[in-house]
Amino acid sequence: QVQLVESGGGLVQAGGSLRLSCVASGRTFSSYTMAWFRQAPGNEREFVAAVSWSGVGTYPADSVQGRFTISRDNAKNTVYLQMNSLKPEDTAVYYCAADLWGPGTMNGYEYEHWGQGTQVTVSS
């Protein structure tokens, strides 16, 4: 079983940056493809980015390409989401998710484990 705890959210002005972290429990972190999703009030959950179990493959959504970077440190059981050039439409609760040996899919139903989420608010 994997437990995920996100941190790093907060309030930032448009154009600013934040770095989210997600720490995973357990010894098999390096076996999981990790991803970030987000959900704004009244909206469906949206895929943000995924990183392969090795960290070599990264798969950002078109909406964040060039602004957000996903990475991981398997020695620290941690996945990161560096968010730059933030926009008000990036405001959402951001969730970390894990998929055992997954392909980095955008489909949230493929991910077996989820964190509780961290709020990101971008003011205009």
Side-chain angles (χ1 to χ4, degrees), residues 9-20:
L11 174 63
V12 64
Q13 289 188 334
S17 299
L18 281 174
R19 188 175 82 154
L20 305 183

Side-chain angles (χ1 to χ4, degrees), residues 2-5 21-30 34 72-80 96:
V2 174
Q3 292 186 328
L4 306 173
V5 179
S21 299
C22 172
V23 179
S25 65
R27 301 180 180 179
T28 59
F29 177 73
S30 59
M34 301 298 296
R72 68 189 295 162
D73 185 339
N74 286 344
K76 295 182 178 180
N77 278 18
T78 303
V79 61
Y80 304 98
C96 175

Side-chain angles (χ1 to χ4, degrees), residues 47-105:
F47 171 81
V48 176
V51 58
S52 67
W53 56 272
S54 67
V56 172
T58 60
Y59 315 99
D62 290 343
S63 59
V64 304
Q65 176 75 48
R67 299 189 300 123
F68 291 10
T69 302
I70 188 170
S71 62
R72 68 189 295 162
D73 185 339
N74 286 344
K76 295 182 178 180
N77 278 18
T78 303
V79 61
Y80 304 98
L81 185 68
Q82 178 66 45
M83 306 186 294
N84 299 328
S85 303
L86 282 160
K87 305 175 182 179
E89 51 264 44
D90 294 319
T91 295
V93 177
Y94 283 70
Y95 297 92
C96 175
D99 181 16
L100 183 63
W101 300 118
T105 177

